[in-house]
Amino acid sequence: MCDCGLRIRLAGRAATVTEFDPQYSNDTYPAAISGGAIAGYYVSGANGAFLRAADGTITKFYPPNSNNTYPTSINRHGPVVGYYDNNSAAEHGFSPGNTCSYACFFIRKSNGQIIEFSPANGAPAPVVSINDGGTIAGSYADINNVVHGFVRAANGTITSFDPAGSTWTWVASINKSGAVTGWYNDSTGTHSFVRAADGTITAFDVPQSTSTVASSINKAETIIGTYGDSSGSHGFVRTADGTISTFDAPGSTSTFPAAIADSGMVTGSYSDSNGVSHGFIRKNSGKITSFDVPGASQTFPTAIDSVRADRNDITGDYEDSSGEYHGFLRTP
């Protein structure tokens, strides 16, 4: 499927879904959206990166000598961040002692220039996030393949961090003020954290949970994510004062919040009793609406646009009847 401007009005709703794929893509996986611009990767032999402008124009790009490229975040000014490898054995970045010879983080500026970077003796872990000020947060594996968090200031200075007692630290998201959220493992299990811009780290868990995994933070420092208990996986919302609310999409057996907009709207996916995944939107009121790309066998929202706060556009991927994946943009 090409990006042919196919737009489908969802019956009974105001939303419109636009389906798209970079040319020659076998599968398309959008990862981030800002100001209508979408970044992600597509599969066509090796994995390549794409940037879809707000007008629908798709540009493919590759860091020099890259084999597989994975954009994971974009800010309102246009820079895209992610990671790549140039050795199939190093996919996802676990390359002890990496000095960008096998895998590396990258920043693609709005003018198309690509800058590579890596923490000292570190290789990329799968998520890296950029805020509108150009501060980047992510995770990296050290020479012993232990994963740590880091923050890279706009001037290039990199600071590593771990919550107290952490054996692995996974960064998920950074907000406009530089607060970072993610999760970590210790001897007792999996917990979440928020790291303030001044470096102060606060750990938290959903009460009575067996694991707590944060996935996104907005400008108000509201955090969303997934927690597990004896009955399965559920969603949570944690406000800046530490108050935690839990929720499930109606009819779900497992709920997986993916992103929160600065407006407070949440999107993600859930599985029904047949194991089929659908998209959902949760408003500030707590009201949850499910949606699917028309004709999709499964729908997976991945990101929501905070720049267009009155719109809260959503992107993600969906699976068609033949098992191929395509990108979508859902607009009000």
Side-chain angles (χ1 to χ4, degrees), residues 21 71 90 93 129 145 155 172 180 206 223 244 280 308:
D21 290 280
S129 180
N145 272 349
N155 65 6
V180 176
V206 175
I223 296 168
I244 294 176
F280 75 84
R308 300 178 172 185

Side-chain angles (χ1 to χ4, degrees), residues 244-264:
I244 294 176
S245 303
T246 62
F247 69 92
D248 289 288
S252 71
T253 56
S254 298
T255 299
F256 303 101
I260 183 170
D262 286 342
S263 67

